[in-house]
Amino acid sequence: MTIKSLFAAVTAVIQIALLPLLLNPGLVFSGPLIALLALILVMAGLAHFAKPLWWTVAALILAVISSSANWTLLPLALAQIGLGLLLATQKMSPLLKASGWQLEVLFLQLLLSASITHGLTITALIINCLFAALMLLLIWAERLPFAATIIGLLAILGIGFWQQQFTLLFALITLACSGILTVRHWAKQPGVIAWTQISLSALLYLVRLHG
């Protein structure tokens, strides 16, 4: 275990858990919810530390416990473990690996949201999917024409505004930050996408909090 790997794992946990927790500030902790939070920790460990077999065994146990209050969530949890093991053990291009991780982040966020609210709400589904689409676009921006990236950003933010999940202020700040990341080619740097998502999650919470 290195400091770099530890920092990356902590970042991954924050990236996954922050938005669902901020969107549901009045959550009540229960055994399954605590197990799901532990599962998120283990999935971050699987992604960034050695010995994937032990992390996978721990994840399988926690997946069963975390789904005990709603067994319909178990197949999704198991699918994320399979995806996490694939990303940890198979060689693939950095773009594919980053995209796979972003999909894992999305579905773990949906699992956490569903566990907190005892069922997935439309708000959680829309916001988490829009964030995932935004991050995936930034990941692939270096392979896309700049105009296509901007059109994609406008489409994602426009849908969020139309669905009344994003405010105009949030959309403008996100557009500006995303444009800078794209122009400077910073999105491909390690950790930039994760911390962009973390920062925008906090920004969305603050903007929604203050209307």
Side-chain angles (χ1 to χ4, degrees):
M1 180 186 298
T2 65
I3 297 298
K4 183 178 179 180
S5 296
L6 182 60
F7 180 76
V10 171
T11 298
V13 172
I14 298 172
Q15 181 187 12
I16 295 166
L18 183 61
L19 186 57
L21 293 178
L22 289 178
L23 292 176
N24 299 279
L27 80 162
V28 177
F29 286 96
S30 62
L33 179 56
I34 293 172
L36 181 53
L37 291 172
L39 175 61
I40 291 171
L41 286 169
V42 169
M43 295 306 296
L46 175 61
H48 296 286
F49 299 136
K51 299 181 179 179
L53 178 60
W54 294 109
W55 291 106
T56 302
V57 171
L60 289 171
I61 295 171
L62 290 169
V64 173
I65 298 173
S66 64
S67 301
S68 60
N70 185 354
W71 291 110
T72 59
L73 298 178
L74 182 58
L76 183 56
L78 294 177
Q80 298 323 298
I81 296 171
L83 176 58
L85 183 60
L86 182 69
L87 293 174
T89 58
Q90 300 299 310
K91 291 184 178 180
M92 57 186 71
S93 70
L95 284 176
L96 283 178
K97 192 164 188 175
S99 300
W101 171 250
Q102 197 58 51
L103 291 176
E104 188 169 347
V105 169
L106 169 61
F107 286 111
L108 286 172
Q109 287 180 322
L110 294 178
L111 273 173
L112 183 55
S113 297
S115 181
I116 292 172
T117 58
H118 305 289
L120 190 61
T121 65
I122 294 297
T123 295
L125 180 63
I126 292 174
I127 292 178
N128 284 301
C129 286
L130 287 174
F131 264 75
L134 178 60
M135 296 306 113
L136 285 169
L137 180 61
L138 291 178
I139 289 170
W140 287 92
E142 63 178 86
R143 298 289 185 89
L144 298 173
F146 182 71
T149 302
I150 295 299
I151 291 172
L153 287 170
L154 290 173
I156 294 168
L157 296 172
I159 291 171
F161 184 76
W162 173 55
Q163 291 292 323
Q164 299 182 331
Q165 303 301 329
F166 295 166
T167 65
L168 182 58
L169 176 61
F170 175 81
L172 291 174
I173 293 175
T174 301
L175 181 62
C177 292
S178 300
I180 292 172
L181 289 177
T182 302
V183 170
R184 296 292 184 178
H185 301 288
W186 287 340
K188 61 183 179 182
Q189 300 299 321
V192 169
I193 291 295
W195 281 103
T196 298
Q197 184 167 0
I198 291 168
S199 301
L200 291 178
S201 297
L203 176 63
L204 179 64
Y205 170 73
L206 292 173
V207 170
R208 289 166 68 94
L209 183 66
H210 295 287

